[in-house]
Amino acid sequence: MMRLFIEALFAWTPPVGLSITKFKSSDARLCRLEWMKNFIAALFFCILFIVDLADAIIDLILGVKKFFQSDGKAYEKNYGILLFVMTILARIVAGLYGVATPHMIDDRAKMDSFFCMEIAVLMIEDGAALLLLLASDRNEDDVLTILSAWLTAFCAMCCIVYLLHWVCTFLCKARMEMGCIITTALSPWYIMYFALIFFYPILMMYVLFQEILLKDADSTNDSFFSDGRGIMSIIFFGFGAATMGGLSITISLKAISRRDEVSYDTMESETDSTKA
């Protein structure tokens, strides 16, 4: 249990290991299409692992640097603390998912929960990083801030790619299970969930490129916070972190509690059989 938590804490989540195992066990001579599918999945999850881990390390260092920067502005120090705390919280969310995965019902539940966890990490950790980048002056950019911006963009891109894959899989299964899937898809809660997870990474990409990556080096972001857009960004990313983070933690804790219930039932059955 502790091993799974630590591995997921460092972004080595169960789907990463599972995708590599599937790729190693596949044989291109038997089914080239299946081998290619497993290769692409393993490559994607390995890239996601590297980007996720590097992003977390850079964000922790950047948060500490902004806090201890002697000539830093007060609000930059505050955003530095926020980034540090939110990065640790995001890694805990990932760790809980790692512990809960073995006790989930099937592979579909594991992958859906994985995507929910990744969106939660994106909103908690990268949302805080984005706010820090927006609050920092562009003419003071260094290697750490540039790395943080691009790694945040790559994390959002990975979420969008996985979302597209998820949609394609959903549509393919809709042919085989038309009635059941359409009934589920038309649920208002399901539509709201789908809209949120689709909207969050796209908006993050838009803000990153529009306000940070494609802006002139001499420009500042003072207007972004003075005209109300900054406040709206704080509210939006705060809401996203709370909703997706809360949902991911709830799913993980329910799976872990299910394991405890199974263990308790097993103990009871063993006690009854011993008495008999």
Side-chain angles (χ1 to χ4, degrees):
M1 182 174 175
M2 183 56 67
R3 179 181 63 84
L4 290 172
F5 180 82
I6 293 174
E7 286 178 354
L9 193 74
F10 287 95
W12 188 265
T13 50
V16 180
L18 180 63
S19 64
I20 294 173
T21 303
K22 281 186 176 181
F23 171 65
K24 286 182 177 179
S25 62
S26 60
D27 191 344
R29 292 171 297 181
L30 297 177
C31 182
R32 187 170 296 275
L33 181 62
E34 188 69 19
W35 182 88
M36 183 61 67
K37 178 183 173 183
N38 291 332
F39 170 74
I40 293 173
L43 180 64
F44 171 77
F45 281 111
C46 286
I47 291 173
L48 183 60
F49 158 68
I50 294 169
V51 171
D52 232 354
L53 181 60
D55 188 36
I57 293 172
I58 293 296
D59 286 343
L60 284 172
I61 297 172
L62 182 61
V64 172
K65 180 193 172 187
K66 288 293 182 180
F67 176 71
F68 287 105
Q69 208 168 27
S70 58
D71 57 342
K73 300 173 183 177
Y75 60 84
E76 285 189 18
K77 290 180 182 287
N78 295 336
Y79 282 119
I81 297 172
L82 177 68
L83 177 57
F84 184 84
V85 172
M86 296 300 265
T87 302
I88 293 176
L89 179 60
R91 299 329 308 166
I92 292 173
V93 170
L96 284 174
Y97 167 78
V99 174
T101 302
H103 313 290
M104 291 179 181
I105 300 171
D106 52 24
D107 290 341
R108 173 76 181 274
K110 291 177 183 178
M111 297 312 296
D112 288 349
S113 302
F114 171 77
F115 185 51
C116 178
M117 180 273 294
E118 281 296 326
I119 295 293
V121 169
L122 183 75
M123 296 306 297
I124 295 171
E125 178 185 331
D126 295 306
L130 184 58
L131 292 175
L132 174 61
L133 293 170
L134 288 171
S136 304
D137 290 337
R138 292 288 290 116
N139 54 13
E140 295 177 0
D141 280 356
D142 55 12
V143 175
L144 279 178
T145 55
I146 294 171
L147 278 175
S148 179
W150 280 107
L151 285 170
T152 299
F154 278 126
C155 286
M157 285 180 194
C158 287
C159 287
I160 293 171
V161 168
Y162 189 82
L163 175 63
L164 293 175
H165 164 73
W166 187 74
V167 170
C168 291
T169 304
F170 179 86
L171 293 177
C172 288
K173 288 189 176 182
R175 295 180 181 178
M176 299 177 289
E177 306 171 22
M178 184 63 71
C180 177
I181 287 187
I182 287 181
T183 302
T184 305
L186 291 178
S187 168
W189 290 108
Y190 193 85
I191 293 173
M192 185 183 299
Y193 169 72
F194 182 81
L196 285 175
I197 61 176
F198 192 85
F199 188 57
Y200 284 144
I202 291 178
L203 179 67
M204 185 171 286
M205 289 283 293
Y206 171 77
V207 175
L208 267 169
F209 281 94
Q210 183 73 18
E211 299 294 337
I212 297 172
L213 295 175
L214 298 182
K215 265 202 168 183
D216 297 333
D218 297 330
S219 64
T220 63
N221 288 320
D222 293 338
S223 62
F224 187 83
F225 283 89
S226 62
D227 63 6
R229 288 179 297 165
I231 303 300
M232 290 299 297
S233 297
I234 293 172
I235 294 172
F236 178 80
F237 286 113
F239 177 77
T243 53
M244 298 307 300
L247 181 60
S248 179
I249 291 172
T250 301
I251 292 172
S252 299
L253 292 179
K254 283 184 71 174
I256 294 170
S257 66
R258 190 180 303 118
R259 177 210 63 178
D260 294 335
E261 289 172 5
V262 171
S263 301
Y264 181 74
D265 292 340
T266 305
M267 288 175 59
E268 276 195 332
S269 61
E270 288 176 354
T271 304
D272 293 339
S273 62
T274 305
K275 287 180 181 180

